[in-house]
């Protein structure tokens, strides 16, 4: 019983007796004095049930009652000790467990219990006063400490993209310097890359053969399958074997089955390859309708079949339960391209119906004139009545409008990546804290997908703008981890920041290897970027004769050597739980240092979640 005195009833009687014979044989008079009863301990503030293991319990209090009046003895300074007991669990109670009463009450703050369990009781006793009966608190539970894994994928980034962003902003990235991050690199070879190059990443060829770096590179489908399933596949396959016959089990499926929450956030269409390989399975990344149906509703043919549109083809069975949060782009009302194979109008109609009929999803979408999309989303994410949240926004290009290097370009009818990240964290945290089925923690993937699109277009200004948005999302995640009310810290949370491949082969010049720094990046050199005659790619240089060719003697600031992906290593930053675990299995590149294969990230996620 909280905030009330609980004590056993003590009956105090009159004690009488006779002493031994007095001197001279006369009997002594009987002792008619009443003996004072010993003090009684009673729990005034009971433990709060549901506290996480190794987290501070709310302050508890034990009252010292006068044994005769059963009232709190305000003058008592009795020394009180407390311990913990349970009929089914063995736990250690840490903190200050012995205190003197003040004004008749001994209060204990900062106590922690190291083992989750039920039917715990705190036992109060009087130090060095064995005649004082012990008192047990009401029973309480200690919940398992949640475990969180947050994976942030800068699709298409490489070391040169990072350097360009640092150069323009003159600001370090969140993971630079003494920030607590372990720094490695990742190789993302697909089965197609391995076949073409006759093996995995080769540290000698990578720095001596330009052709090797662009020979059949991985795509996001194969790379993300390796990351989220721990197995290699061919380009274009979504969480399945190279021949498309075998469905792989994703880490998201494992997490959901084990009582974890799960979510995904992206700046490109929700069924694009990276998020697709996290939440769905398909024989082709081009079957976006089936992928989105599986992500949102479990069944890849919930809203249509291949007879209606080929984009509903290739499903490999349902995925249940599905995720708790899916936020991104690809809204068909905005992306009207003939090749929009990502989100169908049928899905939008079903999501709208779900929202109006108290269905599974609370749905948000881009609407003309609603210039507070981010605020509306965050309000919904904070609503305790909402446990599943999806949003689909977008633009004429399919993704959210590009952020530009100077911070312009964002459309307020779409939320930012940081706002979507914030919304996902709020909802997943609340589910973890209040829903027993989701109390183990969560797994969240956040993709800066438009970085890749900007690199495919060879537009450094838009790439930098998207990188800055990605960095803002990282800072939001860091702030969330360090907020104690979230049941999170760097001991129970693993943050992975990486890319699934490099795009554009950003370089100091044509024929240059990626270890050579690019030139100055500022508003002036960004304005110089344009198509190079006869190359098919863009570059920034001082074109003195304005002939669109890079002539001898003209200063080159940077070039894009490709419109596609490359085989170079991409950066990997790890912070928090198990962040140093990959170092022991890393290989050594002569320029980039320690690196691992992308499949190693899958096993790291599983270990961090305890799967």
């Amino acid at each position: 019983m909280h905030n009330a005195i609980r004590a056993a009833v003590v009956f105090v009687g009159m004690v009488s007796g006779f002493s031994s014979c007095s001197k001279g044989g006369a009997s002594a008079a009987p002792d008619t004095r009443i003996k004072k009863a010993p003090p009684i301990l009673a729990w005034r503030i009971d433990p709060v049930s549901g506290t996480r293991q190794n987290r501070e319990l709310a302050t508890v209090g034990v009252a010292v009652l006068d044994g005769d009046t059963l009232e709190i003895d305000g003058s008592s300074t009795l020394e009180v000790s407390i311990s913990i007991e349970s009929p089914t669990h063995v736990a250690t109670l840490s903190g200050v467990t012995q205190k003197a009463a003040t004004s008749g009450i001994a209060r204990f703050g900062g106590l922690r219990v190291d083992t989750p369990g039920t039917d715990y009781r705190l036992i109060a006793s009087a130090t060095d006063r064995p005649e004082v009966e012990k008192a047990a608190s009401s029973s309480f539970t200690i919940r398992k400490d949640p475990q969180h894994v947050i994976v942030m994928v800068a699709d298409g980034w490489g070391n040169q993209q990072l350097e360009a962003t640092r150069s323009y902003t003159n600001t370090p990235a969140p993971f630079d310097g003494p920030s607590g991050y372990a720094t490695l690199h990742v190789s993302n070879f697909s089965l197609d890359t391995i076949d073409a190059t006759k093996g995995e990443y080769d540290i000698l060829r990578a720095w001596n053969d330009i052709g090797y770096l662009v020979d059949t590179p991985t795509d996001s489908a194969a790379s993300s399958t390796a990351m989220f399933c721990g197995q290699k596949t061919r380009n274009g396959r979504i969480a399945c074997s190279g021949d498309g016959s075998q469905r792989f089990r994703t880490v998201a499926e494992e997490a959901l089955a084990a009582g974890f929450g799960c979510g995904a956030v992206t700046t490109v269409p929700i069924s694009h390859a990276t998020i697709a390989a996290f939440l769905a399975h398909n024989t082709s990344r081009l079957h976006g309708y089936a992928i989105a149906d599986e992500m949102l509703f479990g069944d890849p043919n919930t809203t249509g079949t291949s007879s209606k549109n080929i984009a509903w083809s290739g499903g490999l069975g349902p995925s249940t339960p599905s995720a708790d949060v899916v936020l991104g782009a690809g809204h068909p009302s905005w992306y009207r391209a003939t090749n929009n194979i990502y989100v169908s109008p049928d899905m939008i109609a079903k999501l709208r119906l779900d929202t109006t009929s108290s269905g599974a999803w609370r749905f948000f979408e881009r609407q003309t004139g609603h210039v507070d999309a981010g605020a509306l989303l965050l309000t919904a994410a904070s609503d305790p009545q909402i446990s599943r949240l999806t949003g689909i926004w977008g633009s004429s290009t399919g993704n959210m409008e590009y952020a530009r290097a100077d911070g312009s370009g964002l459309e307020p009818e779409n939320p930012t990546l940081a706002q979507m990240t914030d919304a996902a964290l709020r909802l997943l945290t609340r589910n973890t804290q209040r829903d027993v089925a989701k109390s183990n923690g969560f797994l969240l993937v956040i993709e800066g997908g438009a970085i890749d699109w900007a690199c495919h277009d060879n537009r450094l200004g838009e790439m930098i703008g998207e990188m800055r948005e990605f960095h803002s999302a990282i800072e939001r995640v860091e702030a969330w981890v360090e907020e104690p009310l979230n049941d999170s810290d760097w001991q129970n949370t693993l943050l992975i920041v990486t890319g699934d491949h490099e795009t554009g082969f950003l370089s100091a010049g044509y024929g240059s290897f990626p270890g050579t720094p690019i030139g100055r990046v500022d508003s002036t050199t960004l304005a110089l970027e344009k198509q190079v005659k006869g190359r098919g790619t863009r570059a920034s240089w001082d074109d003195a004769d304005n002939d669109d060719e890079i002539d001898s003697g003209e200063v080159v600031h940077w070039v894009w050597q490709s419109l596609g992906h490359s085989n170079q290593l991409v950066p990997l930053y790890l912070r928090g739980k198990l962040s140093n675990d990959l170092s022991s299995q890393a290989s050594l590149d002569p320029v980039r240092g320690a690196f691992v294969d992308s499949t190693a990230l899958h096993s790291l996620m599983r270990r961090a979640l305890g799967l």
Side-chain angles (χ1 to χ4, degrees):
M1 181 183 306
H2 298 296
N3 300 317
I5 298 175
R6 186 177 58 256
V9 177
V10 178
F11 295 95
V12 181
M14 182 177 296
V15 179
S16 61
F18 298 91
S19 66
S20 58
C21 293
S22 61
K23 187 175 181 181
S27 298
D31 185 355
T32 59
R33 291 175 301 171
I34 298 174
K35 290 187 176 179
K36 185 171 179 60
I40 297 171
L41 300 180
W43 281 89
R44 187 169 180 82
I45 308 173
D46 281 301
V48 175
S49 198
T51 304
R52 298 284 187 176
Q53 69 184 106
N54 295 314
R55 307 283 177 177
E56 287 191 5
L57 293 171
T59 297
V60 297
V62 179
V64 181
L65 308 184
D66 183 287
D68 296 319
T69 66
L70 302 184
E71 299 290 335
I72 294 177
D73 183 356
S75 65
S76 175
T77 58
L78 184 71
E79 191 87 10
V80 178
S81 299
I82 56 174
S83 58
I84 189 167
E85 290 183 0
S86 168
T88 56
H89 297 87
V90 176
T92 299
L93 180 70
S94 60
V96 178
T97 57
Q98 183 173 313
K99 279 192 173 182
T102 301
S103 299
I105 300 176
R107 292 180 173 84
F108 298 84
L111 299 173
R112 298 172 186 261
V113 181
D114 67 345
T115 305
T118 59
D119 204 24
Y120 282 117
R121 293 175 187 271
L122 295 182
I123 307 300
S125 60
T127 310
D128 300 326
R129 293 284 300 275
E131 75 278 12
V132 177
E133 291 190 14
K134 297 178 179 180
S137 72
S138 61
S139 63
F140 62 98
T141 62
I142 294 293
R143 291 200 293 163
K144 182 180 179 181
D145 204 17
Q147 307 301 307
H148 309 298
V149 171
I150 302 170
V151 184
M152 304 192 69
V153 181
D155 194 326
W157 86 345
N159 286 279
Q160 303 288 52
Q161 282 84 347
L162 270 171
E163 278 307 310
T165 305
R166 294 184 184 106
S167 177
Y168 179 86
T169 62
N170 196 30
T171 303
F175 37 74
D176 289 338
S179 55
Y181 286 84
T183 303
L184 298 92
H185 281 76
V186 174
S187 169
N188 291 297
F189 278 31
S190 69
L191 291 180
D192 293 305
T193 315
I194 292 170
D195 286 350
T197 62
K198 311 303 181 188
E200 298 278 1
Y201 178 81
D202 188 316
I203 62 174
L204 296 179
R205 294 179 68 189
W207 300 103
N208 292 281
D209 181 359
I210 288 288
Y212 173 77
L213 292 176
V214 292
D215 189 356
T216 320
T218 188
D219 73 345
S220 293
S223 177
S224 296
T225 295
M227 190 186 312
F228 298 128
C229 302
Q231 299 188 70
K232 298 285 189 181
T233 192
R234 303 222 172 258
N235 291 350
R237 302 295 191 194
I238 299 293
C240 66
S241 59
D243 62 4
S245 65
Q246 180 185 354
R247 171 185 168 128
F248 292 160
R249 194 178 194 203
T250 69
V251 67
E253 288 179 283
E254 288 191 80
L256 285 163
F260 290 86
C262 188
V265 170
T266 182
T267 54
V268 297
I270 58 170
S271 58
H272 212 261
T274 302
I275 300 302
F278 177 59
L279 293 177
H281 312 74
N282 204 283
T283 57
S284 173
R285 61 181 291 171
L286 301 180
H287 300 151
Y289 290 178
I291 291 167
D293 261 355
E294 185 178 346
M295 292 167 61
L296 295 170
F297 311 117
D299 188 329
N301 296 116
T302 301
T303 61
T305 64
S306 58
S307 62
K308 184 176 182 179
N309 191 305
I310 194 173
W312 268 296
S313 303
L316 295 169
S319 294
T320 54
S322 52
D324 306 290
V325 183
V326 179
L327 305 172
H331 197 299
S333 296
W334 297 92
Y335 186 33
R336 299 187 179 94
T338 56
N339 63 337
N340 178 8
I341 46 94
Y342 298 114
V343 180
S344 76
D346 304 83
M347 295 169 202
I348 298 299
K350 178 169 173 51
L351 288 169
R352 287 171 180 165
L353 182 62
D354 266 15
T355 290
T356 57
S357 63
S358 301
W361 288 106
R362 177 68 169 90
F363 175 53
F364 283 82
E365 59 185 311
R366 181 175 178 178
Q367 297 184 27
T368 302
H370 286 201
V371 295
D372 55 352
L376 290 171
L377 177 65
L378 290 170
T379 298
S382 301
D383 186 341
Q385 301 303 312
I386 296 175
S387 60
R388 297 186 74 203
L389 184 65
T390 188
I392 303 176
W393 300 269
S395 69
S396 60
T397 61
N399 62 323
M400 308 291 194
E401 269 88 351
Y402 283 113
R404 297 188 177 93
D406 63 3
S408 65
L410 293 173
E411 169 55 62
E413 291 178 358
N414 294 323
T416 66
L417 181 61
Q419 287 171 327
M420 290 191 292
T421 297
D422 196 347
L425 289 169
R426 289 188 191 187
L427 184 134
L428 291 170
T429 300
R430 187 173 65 254
N431 283 356
T432 298
Q433 292 177 336
R434 73 173 189 174
D435 186 347
V436 173
K438 302 287 185 180
S439 63
N440 287 337
F442 62 77
L443 171 61
L444 173 63
V445 173
I446 301 161
E447 184 198 17
I451 295 168
D452 176 66
W453 294 29
C455 291
H456 276 296
D457 291 341
N458 291 176
R459 296 187 179 276
L460 194 66
E462 291 173 345
M463 188 283 297
I464 292 172
E466 291 298 315
M467 284 288 291
R468 294 182 71 178
E469 286 294 297
F470 187 72
H471 288 174
S472 294
I474 295 174
E475 290 167 350
R476 179 65 198 98
V477 169
E478 291 175 332
W480 175 86
V481 174
E482 292 166 4
E483 170 51 62
L485 293 178
N486 294 328
D487 288 339
S488 58
D489 53 35
W490 293 111
Q491 283 69 54
N492 73 345
T493 305
L494 170 65
L495 173 59
I496 300 172
V497 183
T498 191
D500 52 356
H501 53 71
E502 191 274 346
T503 302
F505 205 159
L506 182 62
S507 307
Y510 289 110
S512 174
F513 285 88
T516 303
I518 63 174
R520 188 181 82 254
V521 181
D522 56 25
S523 58
T524 300
T525 57
L526 284 176
L528 294 174
E529 188 181 65
K530 61 181 179 177
Q531 191 83 14
V532 183
K533 183 186 293 185
R535 288 284 188 176
T537 61
R538 290 163 58 88
S540 173
W541 77 103
D542 296 338
D543 189 7
D545 53 6
N546 202 32
D547 64 353
D548 294 335
E549 296 181 340
I550 300 177
D551 302 315
S552 177
E554 292 180 338
V555 176
V556 177
H557 306 295
W558 65 83
V559 306
W560 298 90
Q561 297 199 66
S562 171
L563 294 171
H565 303 168
S566 72
N567 291 326
Q568 58 188 283
L569 298 175
V570 297
L572 168 64
Y573 300 95
L574 304 166
R575 185 176 181 187
K577 183 179 180 181
L578 305 183
S579 57
N580 294 309
D581 266 28
L582 295 183
S583 300
S584 61
Q585 56 187 284
S587 302
L588 192 64
D589 181 85
V591 177
R592 300 302 186 200
F595 73 95
V596 295
D597 187 80
S598 55
T599 53
L601 297 178
H602 172 260
S603 58
L604 181 65
M605 291 179 223
R606 295 186 74 253
R607 292 197 303 276
L609 293 175
L611 298 175

